[in-house]
Amino acid sequence: MEELDGEPTVTLIPGVNSKKNQMYFDWGPGEMLVCETSFNKKEKSEMVPSCPFIYIIRKDVDVYSQILRKLFNESHGIFLGLQRIDEELTGKSRKSQLVRVSKNYRSVIRACMEEMHQVAIAAKDPANGRQFSSQVSILSAMELIWNLCEILFIEVAPAGPLLLHLLDWVRLHVCEVDSLSADVLGSENPSKHDSFWNLPGNTQTLTELELKWQHWHEECERYLQDSTFATSPHLESLLKIMLGDEAALLEQKELLSNWYHFLVTRLLYSNPTVKPIDLHYYAQSSLDLFLGGESSPEPLDNILLAAFEFDIHQVIKECSIALSNWWFVAHLTDLLDHCKLLQSHNLYFGSNMREFLLLEYASGLFAHPSLWQLGVDYFDYCPELGRVSLELHIERIPLNTEQKALKVLRICEQRQMTEQVRSICKILAMKAVRNNRLGSALSWSIRAKDAAFATLVSDRFLRDYCERGCFSDLDLIDNLGPAMMLSDRLTFLGKYREFHRMYGEKRFADAASLLLSLMTSRIAPRSFWMTLLTDALPLLEQKQVIFSAEQTYELMRCLEDLTSRRPVHGESDTEQLQDDDIETTKVEMLRLSLARNLARAIIREGSLEGS
Amino acid sequence: MEEIYAKFVSQKISKTRWRPLPPGSLQTAETFATGSWDNEENYISLWSIGDFGNLDSDGGFEGDHQLLCDIRHHGDVMDLQFFDQERIVAASSTGCVTVFLHHPNNQTLSVNQQWTTAHYHTGPGSPSYSSAPCTGVVCNNPEIVTVGEDGRINLFRADHKEAVRTIDNADSSTLHAVTFLRTPEILTVNSIGQLKIWDFRQQGNEPSQILSLTGDRVPLHCVDRHPNQQHVVATGGQDGMLSIWDVRQGTMPVSLLKAHEAEMWEVHFHPSNPEHLFTCSEDGSLWHWDASTDVPEKSSLFHQGRSSTFLSHSISNQANVHQSVISSWLSTDPAKDRIEITSLLPSRSLSVNTLDVLGPCLVCGTDAEAIYVTRHLFS
């Protein structure tokens, strides 16, 4: 069972008197809603709570920092590059690539630090300035930890080069924190060391170096024994330092800004060829000696100690607790996972630690109105729960413009999330229909290949036609193209409009056969048949015979079909009578026209041989 | 293609435009404007790419762009155009069209004029008022034309409070972009793959011409007119296809070029070198299409009956004319590999939403919150 690692922090909600009234809260994906209720614990409840506001509480404020956004965006690019590193690469080339990625991440953190530092200095409001400064120190700590992890876990420096890396590490971080002390410390670090090790192009083996160092160490000891420098206490203490005498080193405590500087200096003089596995002995004792029982270790110290002990999981756990944003642990864990350093550490819901952290980070991004696009790529690289999480998140992104909707749809289509595509297109199409943008609605149904919605849109068009007697949006209907095939109703709409066009162009024979085929092929909805038959009237009344006898029989059959199965309307009596009147008149007129046409057609066909 | 500088700016860039140079000026482009989108607070910003040898306090590069000033913008910036040297017109997702004025002496931006209900689904008079995003704006001093998701076309004049002309329901679908053809004529593209030409001299609400793609009605997202030849127009579609049209000839495009893998957001002819065309897309790439050629021989490229007669006719008439006057875009035969296509961005990023070119300078903005600038386009 989990135990509390520390006391939970208390956040006071302004304007809400929590002692008097109870508060109500609800969790969201990344935020919490809080408001005051009118329920009073002790006294009689008031009618209305005194505080009229609903508050949104966010734990992760970093996502809203302007400068940290650059960190998120740049590291997103590095993350993608890392995922795409060829899995086939092994050995040295892979390691050098991974080290390069690590350095990239670190340089991004440093750039952020730089910028934030500039802003902190330039801040007019001291409270702001302090906030930025504390943010700078958090970033600095992050970079410190990452750098150490790079040396120990990614670079995996063996004994010998290990100390060099640690020296660089300390030099880098101590120097940046306090440039004044850096000069002093720079001189403290003896140049003898550099020339001793012959830094570039060092071709000596470890044993040779050890021997040389032993020799030098013994020589120093001899000098001390012989009290060669007895006259100058300063030089004597320097000699003691060079022999790695801890007491002498601790005397210079003010120059050593922290325990890890002490550690590295100590190692430099007492055991420069230290092996990685021995580091933690020195680390623990250095920490204890340096603190001297006066103060207790800070979270940063514990994290560094855990790193020296090569306990990666502890490092990640401590970082997760200490930092308010998942960015650091997510990216570091992902990188270490690529170094194949994490065993499958199964968590409660079966995914591994890397995936868990990435999911948390990406979900945090989705809570931001703008950074959700970055989150998509992170979900892509979570093999177990990434896709499902993405499906849930992407449907809930608010779509206020078509352009944003198009981007979301493109993301879904690229990942074959057809359900989401359909649902988003349906929402947009419905909005369009409500706004009377039938062309847009059709365009969305085509994109989703949603035949049902296309039918709905076509019905709207047809209804408009019946009401107004003419088509709206001819530009759309005339130019449907292959989209016509999406739904039967849409095809009918297109063909019906074609019929009107043909009639307008006086291509009566074509128009007539088209009209007939619309009815006989059954793509015309039944409700529309009366309209179609009425459209046939002018053709029937033309001077020349247009409909052949056969066609006329067909028409008559359709009419009979229609009249025999007339459903009973639920309207009032008077209206029904009127309707019936109109209906019966229409039907009679049709019957008359059909009969007349039939007569003429028969005569014509009888007189001209088989026309 | 060298020296393209990237800068992360903590906002997704939806539009970027170079400030136009004064006519007859020999300078190169120096200032550009950007608009952001999808933030809780969006901004219109002006940036300067500075002078040569300019090293500011943190030792920025020669090409590094610096923020001059910015101003809050209500809603997403859907489109941006420079009206003149000091004024910028912005189209908003709230349906509002704003003219911003830049004050160079104290480096600030202020709102000069605003048409707040330029685009809407149900009008401001009704109780269920709902606004519609304004998707495109184009300027030709003193006129401003805007189009929106409501299918409406507005013609504004600077300093006139009301629209000079409005065509309601010009389109039953969304109008995505607009450009001027000849001055009283504009061309719009919509989400059912149609180009419509509108003549403001005519009174009615019907387009004077409709052109469309054959086959699928793929939505068209961007359009640009050839700088010298007003009948040549390029459009980009949702499937990433680049189409070149001759609006005098027929209703179908002259050439269709398969370009990007996703929506093409912007297409631009280079204003002074129209043999060069630039496109950017949702797939995160920005392409430079180079159709320039020194080869005088062109007869092998005639492949369409009508255009060949036109071209040969004009060649025979104007024997001395330089080949580039007859737009090489119209006689494009992709099979001949005459167009050289280069990708300008160093690596694939999130969507490149916008680009603009002026002289040797190119600027583009992405959804990865980065602005890329290069000043050596043709080196």
Side-chain angles (χ1 to χ4, degrees):
Chain A
M1 222 30 228
E2 300 294 315
E3 74 276 355
L4 276 178
D5 294 293
E7 280 303 306
T9 48
V10 175
T11 310
L12 289 170
I13 315 288
V16 170
N17 187 351
S18 54
K19 292 190 183 39
K20 210 158 149 252
N21 290 336
Q22 288 180 338
M23 287 198 281
Y24 167 82
F25 75 95
D26 196 13
W27 283 111
E31 307 166 330
M32 200 165 92
L33 287 178
V34 165
C35 70
E36 193 181 297
T37 66
S38 55
F39 292 118
N40 197 295
K41 292 178 251 190
K42 299 167 199 140
E43 306 156 6
K44 189 166 95 73
S45 299
E46 292 154 13
M47 291 311 293
V48 168
S50 45
C51 176
F53 298 119
I54 297 181
Y55 287 92
I56 301 175
I57 304 184
R58 288 178 184 138
K59 178 170 175 272
D60 183 5
V61 292
D62 292 342
V63 191
Y64 288 87
S65 153
Q66 283 295 88
I67 300 173
L68 285 182
R69 263 173 91 152
K70 302 188 196 190
L71 184 71
F72 300 138
N73 275 288
E74 287 204 66
S75 58
H76 166 258
I78 302 172
F79 173 85
L80 283 180
L82 173 60
Q83 310 307 309
R84 292 174 188 151
I85 281 180
D86 193 3
E87 277 301 316
E88 295 303 310
L89 280 178
T90 47
K92 268 200 153 159
S93 55
R94 187 181 170 83
K95 190 169 95 159
S96 63
Q97 279 216 332
L98 292 169
V99 170
R100 205 161 36 130
V101 169
S102 177
K103 290 197 197 300
N104 276 342
Y105 274 124
R106 276 175 42 219
S107 71
V108 168
I109 301 177
R110 296 189 77 82
C112 238
M113 240 165 66
E114 260 306 308
E115 195 174 335
M116 209 169 273
H117 188 60
Q118 298 296 328
V119 173
I121 294 175
K124 300 192 185 81
D125 177 12
N128 264 349
R130 269 196 300 276
Q131 200 180 20
F132 281 120
S133 292
S134 76
Q135 192 63 266
V136 172
S137 45
I138 293 177
L139 283 171
S140 166
M142 274 170 25
E143 211 256 313
L144 180 75
I145 301 168
W146 194 302
N147 199 346
L148 184 61
C149 290
E150 181 184 309
I151 296 169
L152 297 176
F153 306 138
I154 304 173
E155 185 89 52
V156 195
L162 176 62
L163 190 61
L164 289 174
H165 285 294
L166 286 175
L167 270 169
D168 281 333
W169 171 65
V170 163
R171 202 175 302 161
L172 191 61
H173 290 93
V174 167
C175 289
E176 91 204 353
V177 165
D178 192 344
S179 54
L180 179 59
S181 63
D183 297 318
V184 180
L185 290 165
S187 64
E188 171 74 29
N189 265 321
S191 48
K192 286 185 194 168
H193 166 261
D194 288 347
S195 55
F196 182 75
W197 286 101
N198 254 348
L199 274 165
N202 191 353
T203 52
Q204 308 169 55
T205 65
L206 194 62
T207 3
E208 281 175 22
L209 285 168
E210 263 206 61
L211 276 171
K212 263 210 216 169
W213 181 81
Q214 276 288 71
H215 187 78
W216 175 78
H217 190 90
E218 277 157 16
E219 204 174 310
C220 289
E221 269 199 29
R222 241 204 332 255
Y223 285 142
L224 193 63
Q225 301 288 358
D226 297 345
S227 307
T228 323
F229 297 109
T231 44
S232 165
H234 192 75
L235 279 174
E236 248 204 15
S237 70
L238 196 61
L239 196 55
K240 281 197 194 150
I241 287 172
M242 288 206 289
L243 283 171
D245 183 54
E246 285 126 20
L249 279 171
L250 280 171
E251 269 166 37
Q252 309 296 326
K253 205 167 157 180
E254 319 84 61
L255 294 171
L256 300 167
S257 49
N258 45 51
W259 67 272
Y260 39 94
H261 187 194
F262 172 55
L263 162 70
V264 174
T265 319
R266 192 177 147 209
L267 282 173
L268 176 64
Y269 296 124
S270 58
N271 188 1
T273 54
V274 62
K275 292 196 273 290
I277 46 171
D278 295 331
L279 265 180
H280 74 277
Y281 296 124
Y282 290 97
Q284 185 66 61
S285 59
S286 300
L287 177 63
D288 295 333
L289 281 171
F290 193 84
L291 291 178
E294 291 162 3
S295 41
S296 52
E298 308 218 319
L300 177 61
D301 301 327
N302 289 329
I303 295 171
L304 293 174
L305 254 187
F308 282 120
E309 287 164 16
F310 284 82
D311 188 350
I312 300 182
H313 288 115
Q314 188 67 12
V315 171
I316 294 171
K317 181 182 167 201
E318 300 260 354
C319 287
S320 310
I321 297 168
L323 297 166
S324 61
N325 182 281
W326 292 107
W327 179 85
F328 179 77
V329 282
H331 287 85
L332 183 61
T333 311
D334 173 63
L335 181 56
L336 294 175
D337 186 68
H338 272 82
C339 302
K340 310 252 192 294
L341 288 170
L342 300 174
Q343 316 121 326
S344 53
H345 184 109
N346 276 333
L347 299 167
Y348 299 117
F349 40 89
S351 65
N352 60 28
M353 171 142 52
R354 168 192 173 267
E355 180 156 327
F356 170 73
L357 293 170
L358 283 176
L359 288 172
E360 287 294 315
Y361 176 62
S363 306
L365 288 176
F366 262 92
H368 189 274
S370 195
L371 292 173
W372 57 271
Q373 275 186 286
L374 301 180
V376 172
D377 286 313
Y378 286 100
F379 278 134
D380 280 345
Y381 289 100
C382 294
E384 281 201 36
L385 295 172
R387 190 189 164 88
V388 150
S389 308
L390 183 58
E391 282 175 7
L392 289 172
H393 275 107
I394 205 131
E395 274 189 312
R396 285 155 176 80
I397 296 175
L399 301 172
N400 55 336
T401 62
E402 279 196 7
Q403 197 162 3
K404 186 166 178 185
L406 287 170
K407 286 177 186 271
V408 170
L409 281 171
R410 181 60 61 181
I411 290 171
C412 294
E413 277 172 5
Q414 279 171 345
R415 291 156 181 78
Q416 281 93 43
M417 294 182 175
T418 40
E419 264 316 300
Q420 279 68 32
V421 171
R422 289 199 121 204
S423 103
I424 292 172
C425 283
K426 212 166 232 142
I427 294 171
L428 293 166
M430 215 42 228
K431 254 199 249 177
V433 165
R434 231 181 276 132
N435 287 324
N436 214 31
R437 312 256 81 242
L438 295 178
S440 292
L442 194 61
S443 155
W444 292 118
S445 12
I446 291 173
R447 175 115 185 217
K449 302 197 188 20
D450 191 347
F453 213 91
T455 307
L456 199 142
V457 174
S458 322
D459 276 336
R460 262 295 280 272
F461 272 117
L462 292 170
R463 212 180 62 205
D464 282 350
Y465 170 76
C466 288
E467 281 167 19
R468 273 186 253 150
C470 66
F471 284 108
S472 60
D473 310 317
L474 277 176
D475 60 337
L476 172 65
I477 308 173
D478 276 343
N479 294 293
L480 282 174
M484 240 200 304
M485 302 303 156
L486 185 58
S487 114
D488 271 350
R489 197 59 51 80
L490 198 55
T491 318
F492 167 67
L493 180 65
K495 293 283 177 203
Y496 187 53
R497 167 66 197 148
E498 206 180 315
F499 161 72
H500 277 272
R501 262 211 319 271
M502 285 183 192
Y503 188 92
E505 291 165 17
K506 301 213 184 327
R507 290 157 52 197
F508 295 126
D510 294 329
S513 36
L514 179 58
L515 186 63
L516 194 56
S517 68
L518 284 178
M519 280 195 281
T520 51
S521 66
R522 302 277 187 247
I523 63 168
R526 198 164 204 93
S527 50
F528 222 73
W529 278 18
M530 206 57 212
T531 320
L532 289 175
L533 287 167
T534 323
D535 283 331
L537 265 176
L539 289 173
L540 292 166
E541 297 298 326
Q542 289 279 337
K543 259 220 175 98
Q544 78 262 46
V545 177
I546 301 169
F547 284 105
S548 71
E550 195 57 46
Q551 289 176 324
T552 320
Y553 281 128
E554 287 286 333
L555 282 173
M556 288 164 106
R557 194 159 52 79
C558 292
L559 182 59
E560 290 315 308
D561 243 346
L562 198 57
T563 49
S564 60
R565 284 195 251 159
R566 181 87 50 84
V568 179
H569 297 288
E571 299 159 64
S572 67
D573 280 346
T574 41
E575 276 186 43
Q576 188 156 15
L577 278 170
Q578 274 185 346
D579 265 354
D580 276 351
D581 252 353
I582 298 171
E583 283 305 302
T584 28
T585 321
K586 268 202 241 173
V587 170
E588 278 176 16
M589 277 179 64
L590 272 171
R591 289 220 173 95
L592 183 59
S593 298
L594 283 169
R596 283 212 291 252
N597 192 68
L598 187 60
R600 291 193 296 165
I602 292 176
I603 293 172
R604 195 185 67 167
E605 281 162 31
S607 23
L608 299 165
E609 285 292 288
S611 70
Chain B
M1 212 11 278
E2 41 238 83
E3 293 160 24
I4 190 158
Y5 292 101
K7 184 167 179 153
F8 285 87
V9 295
S10 305
Q11 49 184 334
K12 294 202 285 205
I13 304 293
S14 57
K15 286 291 165 189
T16 177
R17 296 280 178 259
W18 287 110
R19 170 192 270 161
L21 296 168
S25 155
L26 291 171
Q27 300 168 304
T28 50
E30 254 189 30
T31 320
F32 62 89
T34 60
S36 75
W37 75 286
D38 214 19
N39 266 335
E40 288 179 324
E41 291 183 3
N42 288 302
Y43 286 88
I44 302 255
S45 319
L46 268 183
W47 304 77
S48 161
I49 55 177
D51 302 283
F52 298 91
N54 172 40
L55 287 172
D56 54 28
S57 58
D58 50 27
F61 290 115
E62 172 200 271
D64 202 14
H65 29 283
Q66 301 300 325
L67 179 66
L68 284 178
C69 50
D70 59 20
I71 185 170
R72 177 100 194 268
H73 180 264
H74 206 48
D76 292 345
V77 176
M78 306 288 296
D79 203 357
L80 202 62
Q81 285 286 338
F82 270 93
F83 183 72
D84 55 26
Q85 279 288 303
E86 283 94 34
R87 284 181 283 186
I88 306 170
V89 184
S92 164
S93 60
T94 58
C96 172
V97 179
T98 317
V99 181
F100 292 97
L101 180 61
H102 175 230
H103 309 271
N105 45 355
N106 59 352
Q107 285 302 353
T108 52
L109 282 165
S110 63
V111 175
N112 181 252
Q113 190 172 10
Q114 210 170 46
W115 295 281
T116 46
T117 52
H119 290 277
Y120 52 90
H121 288 301
T122 33
S126 103
S128 58
Y129 168 63
S130 89
S131 65
C134 174
T135 50
V137 73
V138 71
C139 307
N140 190 352
N141 207 333
E143 293 177 329
I144 300 172
V145 178
T146 71
V147 293
E149 277 186 24
D150 54 350
R152 181 171 277 113
I153 302 178
N154 287 314
L155 174 62
F156 294 107
R157 251 198 163 78
D159 305 326
H160 277 55
K161 253 185 74 179
E162 298 299 322
V164 168
R165 174 103 185 261
T166 301
I167 305 179
D168 285 325
N169 212 23
D171 201 307
S172 61
S173 66
T174 299
L175 288 167
H176 283 295
V178 61
T179 183
F180 274 102
L181 279 183
R182 285 171 286 258
T183 315
E185 280 188 340
I186 58 165
L187 185 143
T188 61
V189 292
N190 66 11
S191 58
I192 42 178
Q194 295 172 323
L195 280 76
K196 293 186 183 175
I197 300 180
W198 306 82
D199 191 336
F200 282 123
R201 291 168 302 193
Q202 293 175 6
Q203 274 316 300
N205 279 357
E206 295 301 317
S208 54
Q209 197 182 349
I210 301 183
L211 303 91
S212 58
L213 298 162
T214 50
D216 288 326
R217 296 284 181 255
V218 176
L220 293 172
H221 286 296
C222 52
V223 65
D224 194 27
R225 193 204 72 193
H226 192 285
N228 307 329
Q229 311 201 286
Q230 296 175 331
H231 53 273
V232 176
V233 154
T235 62
Q238 200 170 84
D239 52 358
M241 192 94 84
L242 172 70
S243 321
I244 313 280
W245 308 68
D246 182 344
V247 299
R248 300 170 311 184
Q249 310 255 14
T251 58
M252 286 175 355
V254 170
S255 47
L256 285 171
L257 302 160
K258 184 82 184 81
H260 295 281
E261 291 158 13
E263 285 87 350
M264 186 189 298
W265 292 122
E266 282 201 30
V267 61
H268 285 268
F269 282 102
H270 192 286
S272 42
N273 285 21
E275 301 296 292
H276 297 262
L277 185 103
F278 298 85
T279 60
C280 66
S281 158
E282 177 74 23
D283 68 3
S285 58
L286 194 157
W287 288 10
H288 170 186
W289 304 65
D290 184 351
S292 60
T293 174
D294 307 311
V295 178
E297 194 241 43
K298 285 241 189 177
S299 52
S300 54
L301 302 163
F302 300 155
H303 64 105
Q304 279 183 357
R306 266 182 296 165
S307 37
S308 71
T309 31
F310 164 69
L311 284 161
S312 58
H313 174 76
S314 62
I315 286 179
S316 61
N317 269 354
Q318 304 150 27
N320 294 327
V321 75
H322 192 274
Q323 289 294 65
S324 62
V325 168
I326 302 149
S327 174
S328 50
W329 294 105
L330 287 183
S331 58
T332 291
D333 184 353
K336 294 283 177 181
D337 286 338
R338 271 187 57 245
I339 305 184
E340 201 179 291
I341 306 174
T342 336
S343 174
L344 295 183
L345 290 183
S347 58
R348 277 268 293 265
S349 79
L350 291 180
S351 164
V352 183
N353 293 325
T354 177
L355 76 99
D356 199 16
V357 279
L358 188 61
C361 305
L362 176 139
V363 61
C364 71
T366 69
D367 270 347
E369 306 191 353
I371 300 179
Y372 294 83
V373 175
T374 178
R375 303 214 279 186
H376 305 280
L377 205 42
F378 298 112
S379 53

